């Protein structure tokens, strides 16, 4: 799942369940090629950050260096332009997104990702981008690399051999002695304290962040209903694992039928700029802020830019605080109803990106992932390995210090003067909390989700009802047949010789007397 940034609009470009979200932004500049780290270790690829909304790295395909978006929410590779030495397999396909389709033929070429080389890697060569509502070339990238579970690959279903496997699957299956993990470190643009370069690495940890491997291993939950093509990098929060700006847990029921009580299913997706959370959760974060407004046209909360909000998520017993610069964003040129500049609340209601199959509750995109160093272990998802890699898991290392983040917010948003304790920043009482309106379309989507997410139970219930009806009908037919059989037997027995009780019926006293009188009379004659 991913999005594009035009000069005047921000459009989130995701899969078919994705959110389209246009707001004003400052124009971006094409990044061009990125340089490897100064130490020469090109297994650690730098990531270019565009306005905290696009994270781009370079791959080499057919000898051409191509900047691509990093997307842990999808599993396919596509690029535009010419790729020298590529082989067209003659297989057309279409990757559907919210603002257009990436259409083209599946090609193969030699790919380099860091210091790994893969021969005959399948990808979609997109020759016509006219269906996109934006000019991706001016945004600084020429494609997208999907880093999600390999089961979600569209190309894999089209190409029935190893060439169609995802890039990471190919790398891991060809390097069986290496660990099957990827790490992602995202920096924060416009933050003087975020003075490191974002990095993506394969089978090794970015120096200085080795502690990630001692963090809890979060099991990747298999909550998909229909097919493993719906699998994502997803896990459970802890019980009451989201702490709101008032320091209290935000309690929201999961829409995932199998989720344990008090826990929510979360997807980690580097392709989402604004994390998507249940509407009640977004309201709990922003609805008590003085001056907060819900923009129904854009479907998002706006708040005064000087408002500091602290929230955190808990996984595996570890708390992961969110930098206040990530709880609201000044990267969008938004104004409130009075025309005053405001910041966008980044944790937005999950409406058009709603999980129609009830498979997840939250999508934690870039605004969350900037606060953690993420390790994604593909484990047994990788095929053709020489040994058992175990189940996939996720490890998160917090990179946000609450105290330093507070001072950082003061320096960036408040000009160095700490006014966070002023009455204007105090949260309103719960009784005065604003609630964002639920649209008719969303109510319909929720109803559809309720039906679709519970279709196995509905099917079993309907099947059980049908079986009960059939059983009742069969039982009634059997009873009726037994009764008819009994009647026929009784009627037949009545006419059998020697079996008629009436033939041996004892004569009544009056009849006997009449016979005696008749007999006596005949004798006298």
């Amino acid at each position: 799942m991913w999005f594009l940034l035009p000069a005047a609009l921000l459009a989130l470009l995701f899969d078919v369940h994705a959110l389209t979200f246009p707001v004003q932004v400052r124009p971006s500049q094409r990044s061009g090629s990125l340089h490897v780290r100064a130490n020469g270790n090109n297994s650690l690829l730098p990531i270019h950050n565009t306005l905290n909304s696009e994270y781009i790295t370079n791959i080499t395909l057919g000898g051409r260096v191509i900047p691509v978006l990093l997307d842990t929410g999808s599993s396919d590779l596509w690029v535009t332009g010419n790729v020298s030495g590529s082989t067209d397999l003659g297989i057309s396909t279409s990757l559907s997104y919210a603002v257009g389709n990436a259409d083209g033929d599946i090609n193969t070429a030699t790919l380099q990702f860091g210091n790994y080389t893969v021969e005959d890697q399948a990808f979609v060569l997109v020759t016509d981008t006219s269906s996109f509502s934006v000019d991706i070339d001016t945004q600084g990238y020429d494609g997208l690399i999907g880093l999600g579970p390999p089961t979600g690959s569209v190309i894999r279903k089209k190409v029935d051999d190893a060439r169609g496997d995802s890039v990471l699957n190919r790398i891991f299956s060809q390097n069986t002695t290496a660990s099957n993990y990827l790490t992602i470190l995202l920096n924060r643009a416009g933050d003087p304290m975020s003075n490191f370069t974002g990095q993506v690495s394969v089978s090794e940890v970015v120096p200085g962040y080795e502690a990630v491997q001692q963090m809890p291993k979060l099991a990747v939950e298999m909550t998909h209903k229909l097919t493993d093509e719906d699998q994502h990098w997803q896990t459970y929060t802890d019980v009451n694992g989201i702490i709101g700006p008032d320091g209290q847990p935000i309690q929201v029921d999961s829409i995932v039928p199998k989720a344990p009580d008090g826990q929510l299913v979360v997807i980690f997706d580097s392709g989402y700029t604004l994390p998507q959370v249940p509407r009640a959760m977004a309201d709990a974060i922003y609805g008590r802020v003085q001056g907060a407004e819900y923009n129904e046209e854009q479907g998002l909360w706006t708040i005064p830019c000087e408002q500091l909000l602290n929230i955190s998520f808990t996984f595996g017993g570890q708390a992961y605080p969110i930098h206040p610069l990530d709880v609201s964003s000044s990267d969008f040129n938004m104004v409130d109803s009075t025309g005053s500049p405001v910041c966008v609340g980044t944790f937005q209601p999950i409406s058009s990106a709603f999980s129609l199959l009830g498979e997840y509750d939250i999508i934690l995109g870039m605004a969350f992932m900037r606060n953690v160093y993420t390790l994604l272990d593909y484990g047994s998802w990788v095929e053709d390995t020489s040994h058992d890699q175990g189940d996939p898991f996720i490890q998160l290392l917090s990179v946000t210090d609450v105290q330093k983040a507070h001072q950082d917010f003061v320096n960036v948003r408040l000009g160095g003067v700490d006014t966070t304790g002023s009455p204007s920043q105090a949260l309103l009482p719960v009784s005065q909390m604003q609630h964002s309106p639920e649209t008719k379309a969303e109510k319909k989507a929720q109803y559809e989700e309720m039906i679709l997410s519970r279709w196995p139970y509905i099917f079993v219930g309907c099947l059980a009802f049908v079986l009960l009806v059939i059983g009742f009908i069969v039982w009634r037919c059997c009873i009726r047949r037994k009764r008819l059989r009994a009647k026929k037997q009784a009627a037949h027995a009545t006419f059998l010789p020697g079996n008629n009780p009436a033939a041996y019926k004892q004569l009544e006293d009056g009849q006997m007397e009449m016979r005696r009188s008749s007999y006596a009379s005949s004798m006298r004659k």
Side-chain angles (χ1 to χ4, degrees):
M1 290 181 250
W2 53 289
F3 67 95
L4 301 175
L5 275 172
L9 298 175
L10 172 65
L12 296 185
L13 184 55
F14 303 133
D15 63 13
V16 293
H17 301 299
L19 172 68
T20 301
F21 166 48
V23 296
Q24 296 288 329
V25 297
R26 293 188 295 270
S28 61
Q29 299 295 325
R30 184 173 178 84
S31 62
S33 299
L34 301 173
H35 298 289
V36 298
R37 290 169 58 90
N39 61 13
N41 184 356
N42 65 352
S43 63
L44 301 177
L45 288 173
I47 299 174
H48 176 76
N49 177 356
T50 302
L51 296 175
N52 293 325
S53 298
E54 296 173 338
Y55 287 94
I56 303 167
T57 195
N58 286 340
I59 63 171
T60 302
L61 194 60
R64 171 190 163 203
V65 177
I66 304 175
V68 293
L69 290 172
L70 294 169
D71 183 19
T72 61
S74 65
S75 306
D76 288 308
L77 170 66
W78 66 264
V79 300
T80 62
N82 296 318
V83 177
S84 299
S86 63
T87 300
D88 191 337
L89 300 183
I91 303 174
S92 298
T93 192
S94 178
L95 307 177
S96 298
Y97 299 92
V99 296
N101 297 326
D103 299 330
D105 284 354
I106 298 176
N107 284 241
T108 62
T110 300
L111 177 138
Q112 288 179 284
F113 189 72
N115 59 354
Y116 293 95
T117 300
V118 177
E119 302 291 339
D120 295 324
Q121 173 62 50
F123 64 96
V124 175
L125 183 60
V126 179
T127 56
D128 183 6
T129 60
S130 61
S131 68
F132 294 151
S133 62
V134 295
D135 183 357
I136 67 171
D137 183 66
T138 63
Q139 300 308 308
Y141 52 88
D142 296 317
L144 176 146
I145 183 170
L147 305 173
T151 55
S153 171
V154 175
I155 296 175
R156 183 185 185 185
K157 294 190 287 289
K158 296 282 189 175
V159 180
D160 192 21
D161 56 50
R163 296 174 299 175
D165 288 341
S166 65
V167 172
L168 270 296
N169 191 293
R170 296 289 305 279
I171 289 175
F172 292 138
S173 63
Q174 292 179 18
N175 298 272
T176 57
T177 59
S179 298
N180 293 352
Y181 69 79
L182 172 86
T183 78
I184 299 177
L185 179 66
L186 304 180
N187 70 330
R188 185 177 301 105
D191 177 6
M193 299 296 292
S194 181
N195 53 10
F196 57 86
T197 300
Q199 303 287 330
V200 59
S201 69
V202 177
S203 300
E204 65 178 285
V205 175
V206 175
Y209 296 88
E210 292 81 4
V212 69
Q213 295 181 303
Q214 279 69 59
M215 300 307 292
K217 293 182 178 180
L218 308 176
V220 175
E221 298 300 328
M222 313 296 183
T223 59
H224 51 263
K225 301 295 187 307
L226 299 177
T227 169
D228 59 2
E229 294 174 12
D230 300 322
Q231 183 62 53
H232 297 281
W233 287 111
Q234 58 197 51
T235 192
Y236 291 124
T237 66
D238 287 0
V239 175
N240 297 323
I242 295 89
I243 306 301
D246 60 356
Q248 299 301 312
I250 300 175
Q251 297 182 344
V252 176
D253 292 332
S254 175
I255 66 169
V256 181
K258 66 174 290 187
D261 290 343
Q263 295 180 265
L264 301 174
V265 178
V266 169
I267 290 176
F268 300 100
D269 190 341
S270 65
Y272 265 87
T273 301
L274 305 182
Q276 304 291 293
V277 300
R279 182 173 294 280
M281 185 176 294
D283 293 351
I285 296 173
Y286 305 108
R288 294 171 59 191
V289 173
Q290 298 181 57
E293 291 184 357
Y294 185 76
N295 187 314
E296 293 189 42
E297 181 181 355
Q298 307 294 351
L300 52 84
W301 281 99
T302 62
I303 63 173
C305 287
E306 62 271 15
Q307 178 71 52
L308 183 146
L309 295 175
N310 286 312
I311 66 172
S312 65
F313 290 74
T314 306
F315 299 98
Q318 296 288 322
Y320 297 92
I322 307 302
H323 198 296
L325 290 176
D326 288 324
V327 182
S328 64
S329 173
S330 60
D331 293 325
F332 311 99
N333 295 328
M334 290 290 290
V335 295
D336 62 14
S337 57
T338 67
S340 300
V342 288
C343 282
V344 170
T346 54
F347 289 80
Q348 290 301 314
I350 185 168
S351 53
S352 58
F354 204 78
S355 171
L356 286 181
L357 293 178
E359 296 173 350
Y360 54 84
D361 301 292
I362 296 174
I363 303 173
L364 290 181
M366 304 171 194
F368 171 86
M369 295 186 70
R370 281 191 290 271
N371 295 273
V372 296
Y373 177 46
T374 305
L375 186 151
L376 305 174
D377 192 295
Y378 292 71
S380 58
W381 279 337
V382 179
E383 302 171 354
D384 301 324
T385 55
S386 60
H387 58 283
D388 184 12
Q389 295 280 359
D391 293 330
F393 61 85
I394 303 164
Q395 289 177 294
L396 304 173
L397 176 67
S398 177
V399 297
T400 298
D401 180 277
V402 175
Q403 298 302 320
K404 292 181 179 178
H406 181 104
Q407 187 58 48
D408 203 12
F409 183 90
V410 169
N411 294 337
V412 173
R413 296 276 183 88
L414 304 178
V417 180
D418 192 348
T419 59
T420 57
S422 65
S424 63
Q425 288 214 14
L427 296 177
L428 296 171
V430 175
S431 60
Q432 297 182 32
M433 181 174 69
Q434 299 184 67
H435 296 276
S436 56
E438 192 175 34
T439 65
K440 292 182 180 180
E442 186 174 356
K443 290 179 181 178
K444 180 181 177 182
Q446 287 180 324
Y447 178 76
E448 292 172 346
E449 176 275 323
M450 182 183 67
I451 299 299
L452 291 173
S453 66
R454 291 161 177 78
W455 73 266
Y457 308 101
I458 296 173
F459 175 77
V460 171
C462 292
L463 181 61
F465 176 76
V466 170
L467 292 176
L468 285 174
V469 171
I470 293 175
F472 177 76
I473 293 173
V474 171
W475 176 75
R476 290 290 298 171
C477 289
C478 290
I479 293 297
R480 184 179 180 185
R481 291 178 65 181
K482 286 182 179 180
R483 289 178 178 176
L484 290 174
R485 189 182 303 116
K487 288 183 179 180
K488 289 181 179 180
Q489 289 176 347
H492 183 63
T494 301
F495 298 100
L496 288 175
N499 287 323
N500 189 353
Y504 299 92
K505 185 176 181 180
Q506 188 174 3
L507 294 175
E508 299 293 339
D509 291 343
Q511 292 176 322
M512 293 180 66
E513 186 63 30
M514 289 176 64
R515 289 186 179 186
R516 290 193 188 101
S517 298
S518 176
Y519 177 74
S521 176
S522 64
M523 290 296 293
R524 286 194 294 268
K525 291 180 179 180

